[in-house]
Amino acid sequence: MKHCLVVDDSSVIRKVARRILEGSDLRISEAENGQTAIELCRQAMPDGILLDWSMPVMDGYDFLVELRSLPGGDAPKVVFLTTENDVAGLARAMRAGADEYAMKPFDREAILAKFAHVGLLSSPNPNGAAAKTPPSAA
């Protein structure tokens, strides 16, 4: 079972994300800021990270830069969450090592689609659960 770390200063967002991702056969752990998340990554590197961009203590950008410098820190697929549709900010996050992004507020389908896109889940089916689909002929 793949492990996903949900990093957000909002306990409500962490709870919603946990429910969505646990329903997709992922093991979930949580951190309320980037510093706590780095400590958890040093103990056991997750397969994927759902990362809030704007947090106290250590924000998403600083977390991502530090994560990618850790041994094995290049491996996790990172989907960052943002409330801003700022092209320069999105580009900065991608240059720092994010694999994908999602806008807040998010829903089940959006998060599952992003996780499928980065390879953490099979393609999501309409029910919101992950399901294997045959590769396209494209």
Side-chain angles (χ1 to χ4, degrees), residues 46-65:
D47 299 295
I49 300 171
L50 186 61
L51 176 65
D52 185 23
W53 206 237
S54 179
M55 296 178 288
V57 182
M58 178 187 280
D59 67 14
Y61 178 81
D62 291 338
F63 165 81
L64 194 49
V65 169

Side-chain angles (χ1 to χ4, degrees), residues 59-112:
D59 67 14
Y61 178 81
D62 291 338
F63 165 81
L64 194 49
V65 169
E66 189 163 339
L67 170 74
R68 295 304 192 205
S69 72
L70 293 175
D74 57 338
K77 298 296 184 181
V78 177
V79 176
F80 78 90
L81 298 170
T82 184
T83 57
E84 299 179 28
N85 196 4
D86 168 33
V87 175
L90 298 176
R92 181 176 179 237
M94 300 307 273
R95 282 193 308 272
D99 296 287
E100 188 57 90
Y101 72 94
M103 299 298 294
K104 284 183 180 179
F106 58 84
D107 61 18
R108 174 181 297 278
E109 290 75 24
I111 293 301
L112 295 180

Side-chain angles (χ1 to χ4, degrees), residues 2-138:
K2 290 183 179 175
H3 173 219
C4 178
L5 175 60
V6 176
V7 186
D8 200 298
D9 57 319
S10 166
S11 62
V12 172
I13 296 292
R14 291 194 313 267
K15 184 176 183 176
V16 169
R18 173 182 283 278
R19 286 191 179 168
I20 290 170
L21 295 170
E22 281 180 337
S24 297
D25 204 30
L26 292 169
R27 183 172 56 85
I28 308 301
S29 56
E30 300 178 20
E32 67 277 358
N33 62 59
Q35 186 61 50
T36 302
I38 284 293
E39 293 165 12
L40 292 173
C41 289
R42 285 187 176 123
Q43 294 170 17
M45 195 62 71
D47 299 295
I49 300 171
L50 186 61
L51 176 65
D52 185 23
W53 206 237
S54 179
M55 296 178 288
V57 182
M58 178 187 280
D59 67 14
Y61 178 81
D62 291 338
F63 165 81
L64 194 49
V65 169
E66 189 163 339
L67 170 74
R68 295 304 192 205
S69 72
L70 293 175
D74 57 338
K77 298 296 184 181
V78 177
V79 176
F80 78 90
L81 298 170
T82 184
T83 57
E84 299 179 28
N85 196 4
D86 168 33
V87 175
L90 298 176
R92 181 176 179 237
M94 300 307 273
R95 282 193 308 272
D99 296 287
E100 188 57 90
Y101 72 94
M103 299 298 294
K104 284 183 180 179
F106 58 84
D107 61 18
R108 174 181 297 278
E109 290 75 24
I111 293 301
L112 295 180
K114 297 295 183 177
F115 271 59
H117 183 255
V118 299
L120 288 168
L121 296 174
S122 299
S123 296
N125 71 24
N127 303 355
K132 293 199 179 243
T133 58
S136 66

